[in-house]
Amino acid sequence: MTTRTFAGLIVFALTLAPLGAQAPAGKVELKLSLPKPMFIGTPTNIKSANLEVSGKSRGPFYVPKGTVLLSQKKTVTSSDSQPVIGDLDMITDGQKAGGDGYFVELGPGAQWVQIDLGASHPLSAILLWHYHTQARVYRDVIVQVSNDASFKTGVVTVFNNDHDNSSKLAQGKDKEYIEVAEGRLIDPQGARGRYVRLYSRGNTTNDLNHYVEVEVYGLPK
């Protein structure tokens, strides 16, 4: 486990188990239900100075025994209360297909969505899909956890790829990535919170922000 701190925020680095690894004591492999891929192959026309190497297979991910999906059907709020397309409750409705009618489109610039889990939980995994019909990179993806709905105190940053601090939430060290059907799996390293807030600031196709689904896993209260 690697821990970093930026501007008073605690930041955890993601660690995935290697392929073929045995589950650590007290943990089990997280079984995920993934949508059908919408495109095949590795895009070559996406430019980013901070882009991770694509094409790597995601190995098994282990979580504490008793981990459950906490976010399904939970209330979602946003910095854009009137999405251009879709309704905010689609972000936790369990529907992950990437086509028309399955995503929410928020306005341009920096925007966030926030999930209220209803109670504070130690979190085991966060899986998110911005958009996977087309290969894109979403900018300034930042994921934070807190027990404060306003995110003024007790904020834990579990992912941040804003490498130049353009969103003014602290410079991040994580890599940008290409959206694919398997989503982006984030390890919150047991960070505890009731609220999960996810930021983005446009993408390589346009200035808008999109979400297909967000899944938050953790231990029951």
Side-chain angles (χ1 to χ4, degrees):
M1 169 180 169
T2 303
T3 305
R4 304 188 292 271
T5 302
F6 297 108
L9 302 180
I10 304 171
V11 182
F12 295 109
L14 171 66
T15 302
L16 292 178
L19 289 171
Q22 297 297 313
K27 293 192 173 185
V28 295
E29 184 178 348
L30 180 63
K31 300 297 185 180
L32 301 171
S33 174
L34 303 178
K36 181 185 297 185
M38 301 292 286
F39 64 89
I40 299 174
T42 301
T44 58
N45 61 344
I46 294 179
K47 296 180 180 180
S48 168
N50 190 42
L51 188 64
E52 71 179 11
V53 176
S54 62
K56 291 185 177 180
S57 176
R58 184 167 72 202
F61 183 75
Y62 300 110
V63 296
K65 291 180 179 179
T67 289
V68 296
L69 177 61
L70 300 169
S71 55
Q72 189 150 358
K73 304 297 184 181
K74 292 299 195 299
T75 300
V76 181
T77 54
S78 174
S79 54
D80 185 351
S81 60
Q82 296 182 318
V84 180
I85 296 174
D87 299 312
L88 292 174
D89 59 8
M90 293 168 61
I91 295 172
T92 57
D93 67 357
Q95 302 298 315
K96 308 166 194 173
D100 291 346
Y102 288 95
F103 65 86
V104 178
E105 182 175 271
L106 307 179
Q111 301 283 1
W112 54 260
V113 299
Q114 181 170 309
I115 301 170
D116 180 357
L117 300 175
S120 183
H121 299 268
L123 303 184
S124 306
I126 299 170
L127 183 60
L128 69 112
W129 293 263
H130 285 112
Y131 190 87
H132 60 88
T133 304
Q134 175 191 72
R136 296 179 178 181
V137 171
Y138 281 77
R139 305 297 194 189
D140 296 0
V141 175
I142 302 168
V143 182
Q144 296 182 331
V145 178
S146 180
N147 282 316
D148 175 13
S150 66
F151 277 73
K152 300 295 185 183
T153 62
V155 178
V156 179
T157 298
V158 297
F159 187 89
N160 183 349
N161 68 13
D162 179 9
H163 66 281
D164 59 1
N165 195 24
S166 54
S167 289
K168 310 303 180 185
L169 290 173
Q171 183 178 10
K173 297 299 184 182
D174 294 298
K175 293 290 188 179
E176 291 184 332
Y177 59 91
I178 296 171
E179 294 285 327
V180 293
E182 71 174 4
R184 172 55 40 155
L185 182 60
I186 294 169
D187 186 354
Q189 297 281 352
R192 177 180 285 272
R194 171 174 172 170
Y195 304 96
V196 177
R197 183 178 284 193
L198 306 98
Y199 296 84
S200 61
R201 191 173 61 85
N203 63 84
T204 50
T205 298
N206 54 56
D207 292 332
L208 300 172
N209 299 274
H210 304 87
Y211 288 88
V212 173
E213 188 76 10
V214 177
E215 293 183 337
V216 181
Y217 295 85
L219 295 173
K221 185 179 177 182

